[in-house]
Amino acid sequence: MKEAIQPKYYQAEVTCNCGNTFVTGSTKKSIHVEICSKCHPFYSGQQKATAARGRIERFNKKYGLQ
């Protein structure tokens, strides 16, 4: 493997729009992302709450409970 053609590998700091930062390995020195595991609905548990809320509303509408 040729040494001159390999990209440099850095300890990159990843910054999210929510303010969360963490370090990972990358060929870039810094990375900016829009969403991370701290603010994503699937990982934060908010997705399950909104799905359950929709099921409750459908149940109430179906059986006329309100």
Side-chain angles (χ1 to χ4, degrees):
M1 191 163 33
K2 294 182 181 178
E3 292 293 326
I5 63 171
Q6 299 301 319
K8 294 197 183 265
Y9 196 70
Y10 302 102
Q11 292 295 322
E13 182 175 349
V14 180
T15 306
C16 179
N17 282 345
C18 70
N20 186 28
T21 60
F22 56 93
V23 178
T24 188
S26 177
T27 56
K28 295 183 178 183
K29 290 185 179 181
S30 65
I31 302 170
H32 183 77
V33 294
E34 294 179 7
I35 196 160
C36 66
S37 62
K38 183 177 178 185
C39 60
H40 192 280
F42 181 78
Y43 296 109
S44 63
Q46 295 174 355
Q47 182 180 18
K48 293 178 183 176
T50 57
R53 203 173 2 221
R55 287 193 300 267
I56 293 168
E57 289 174 4
R58 272 192 314 223
F59 178 84
N60 288 339
K61 185 178 178 181
K62 182 177 179 180
Y63 293 106
L65 305 172
Q66 286 193 357

